[in-house]
Amino acid sequence: MLDAAVATSGLLALRTSWIDYCNEQFALGPSAEDAASEMSRQYVGGDVVCAWPRFAEGKTAYDEAAEVVRKLQPMLEEFCGLDPRRASAAAWGGLGRSGLRLVSGIRSVR
């Protein structure tokens, strides 16, 4: 788990830069935390993402973090008592819908 925390720290270090960039691109208030502002920062078109001045650094940090977190997933499944053959959270490309249900308090929106 320490490896995952270290790997994701690169992404956390870029967060302020990303938020500032999105605020500028979408004319968001710097302290805006409403749902619309947060969605504007999270769901961004590919051309806007690639234009971020720190895109290459962000992509490298993401790729490194994703690789380490993918390796952590089977350990988390075992810890939670899940059958890794049935858990879609381990699928390449991230968490599936059922993976989100593993986290307490998150409900599926239909």
Side-chain angles (χ1 to χ4, degrees):
M1 277 186 62
L2 181 59
D3 292 344
V6 170
T8 57
S9 68
L11 290 172
L12 292 173
L14 293 167
R15 181 167 168 72
T16 300
S17 172
W18 175 252
I19 289 173
D20 291 345
Y21 173 72
C22 288
N23 289 347
E24 183 179 313
Q25 291 298 308
F26 306 117
L28 302 173
S31 61
E33 294 181 359
D34 58 283
S37 297
E38 288 300 316
M39 295 296 268
S40 295
R41 294 179 186 119
Q42 291 181 30
Y43 299 99
V44 180
D47 55 333
V48 177
V49 173
C50 291
W52 177 37
R54 297 184 77 179
F55 172 75
E57 187 180 351
K59 175 135 176 37
T60 299
Y62 172 82
D63 290 344
E64 291 171 0
E67 182 179 339
V68 173
V69 170
R70 249 185 241 108
K71 291 177 184 175
L72 175 64
Q73 188 65 41
M75 288 185 282
L76 292 174
E77 290 169 358
E78 185 177 335
F79 177 78
C80 293
L82 298 174
D83 180 351
R85 294 168 295 175
R86 296 188 56 203
S88 65
W92 179 265
L95 295 173
R97 280 184 64 110
S98 65
L100 291 175
R101 292 187 200 111
L102 297 174
V103 179
S104 176
I106 294 181
R107 293 182 172 47
S108 296
V109 179
R110 295 181 197 235

